[in-house]
Amino acid sequence: MSYLIKDLPMDEKPREKAKKYGISSLSNAELLAILLRCGTKKRSVTDVCQDILNSVGGLEGLRDIRISKLRELYGVGEVKAVTILAAIELGKRVNNPEMDARLQIHESQEVYTLYRAKFLGEKQEKFLVLFLNTKNQILEEKIMFTGTVNQSLVHPRDIFREAVLVNAVKILCIHNHPSGNTTPSIADECMTKKVKEAGEMIGIPLIDHIIIGSQDYYSFLEHKKGGF
């Protein structure tokens, strides 16, 4: 028999507390408890939820957590894991409606418009990868590497390991030039070609690599460089 929310003392029931004092009065564990509803034979649902938060390092640890990691936690099965991920994704979309409205990538200019603010004021090169489905919708975006102003170390194996984990069928790479000049270096061209060739071999193609500067961008696809 598992502990249900209804079995908790009245003053410990998250729903009752929310109705009486407002949803913002709930702790992080209590909010999770409303989603999960039941605990285990030995732990109440609120205790299980606090254990989850402790295991991942708090709310920040839930931001990019995977279903496989959640399922490893005591008291969390597949249904609960999916419920947690759905709530996290909904929160992301509520807080970033522009991104939600433009989840589908159509052209390089659109990528630049959408992501230039992300790199504004950066002093180091950062290499971000968009992991896409068959409709060019973003399944996940992740900064894979951070280098120096002159160098960014990119390993295709790490990119495609991530792509496989999120079931991506295409990728699009973005990185910034802190100098503001979007002209690709020889290293940029070699790296792009290396990632593109690896993608073709694995069956997860690189559809573009975009360099973002202070005022404009450079698309390897548009310029037919880097193996395009």
Side-chain angles (χ1 to χ4, degrees):
M1 178 178 179
S2 60
Y3 287 93
L4 300 173
I5 287 179
K6 68 179 183 180
D7 298 324
L8 295 172
M10 186 61 68
D11 60 350
E12 293 181 19
K13 291 182 177 180
R15 289 189 183 89
E16 299 304 319
K17 184 176 176 181
K19 284 189 276 187
K20 187 173 182 178
Y21 301 109
I23 196 72
S24 61
S25 68
L26 302 186
S27 67
N28 295 333
E30 289 170 332
L31 289 170
L32 269 180
I34 288 178
L35 294 173
L36 302 192
R37 299 185 61 250
C38 64
T40 67
K41 292 181 179 180
K42 297 182 179 180
R43 303 281 284 169
S44 74
V45 62
T46 306
D47 289 336
V48 168
C49 292
Q50 189 58 61
D51 291 342
I52 292 171
L53 291 170
N54 292 341
S55 297
V56 302
L59 284 181
E60 185 66 25
L62 285 177
R63 186 185 303 276
D64 298 308
I65 200 164
R66 301 192 183 288
I67 189 170
S68 57
K69 174 62 177 178
L70 280 172
R71 290 176 63 184
E72 292 173 0
L73 302 178
Y74 179 70
V76 182
E78 184 171 307
V79 173
K80 289 180 180 178
V82 171
T83 300
I84 292 172
L85 292 179
I88 293 169
E89 179 61 26
L90 187 61
K92 289 179 180 178
R93 297 185 186 187
V94 167
N95 284 303
N96 196 351
E98 180 183 2
M99 178 62 76
D100 183 40
R102 303 186 68 177
L103 280 174
Q104 192 171 35
I105 299 300
H106 299 287
E107 56 185 21
S108 303
Q109 175 66 51
E110 181 182 32
V111 175
Y112 169 66
T113 301
L114 196 57
Y115 284 92
R116 59 184 175 183
K118 194 177 189 75
F119 297 98
L120 191 64
E122 287 287 349
K123 302 301 182 186
Q124 286 186 305
E125 287 191 13
K126 291 192 174 181
F127 193 91
L128 182 145
V129 180
L130 304 183
F131 300 94
L132 311 172
N133 63 15
T134 55
K135 297 180 179 179
N136 283 7
Q137 293 173 314
I138 301 171
L139 299 173
E140 180 178 280
E141 63 171 78
K142 186 172 183 179
I143 292 179
M144 300 294 297
F145 311 99
T146 299
T148 65
V149 171
N150 297 314
Q151 184 180 19
S152 183
L153 301 176
V154 178
H155 301 290
R157 65 176 180 274
D158 296 325
I159 294 174
F160 291 106
R161 182 186 299 121
E162 188 77 13
V164 170
L165 285 172
V166 300
N167 294 318
V169 298
K170 309 173 187 177
I171 62 169
L172 190 152
C173 297
I174 308 168
H175 88 277
N176 63 311
H177 277 183
S179 66
N181 183 350
T182 58
T183 303
S185 65
I186 293 175
D188 289 335
E189 291 194 29
C190 291
M191 176 272 298
T192 303
K193 186 175 181 181
K194 182 170 61 175
V195 173
K196 191 172 188 306
E197 289 175 347
E200 290 171 352
M201 183 179 299
I202 294 171
I204 304 176
L206 171 67
I207 63 171
D208 200 357
H209 176 196
I210 295 172
I211 299 174
I212 291 181
S214 55
Q215 300 295 330
D216 59 359
Y217 72 96
Y218 181 97
S219 163
F220 280 84
L221 175 65
E222 291 178 357
H223 288 82
K224 306 299 181 185
K225 296 286 188 178
F228 286 99

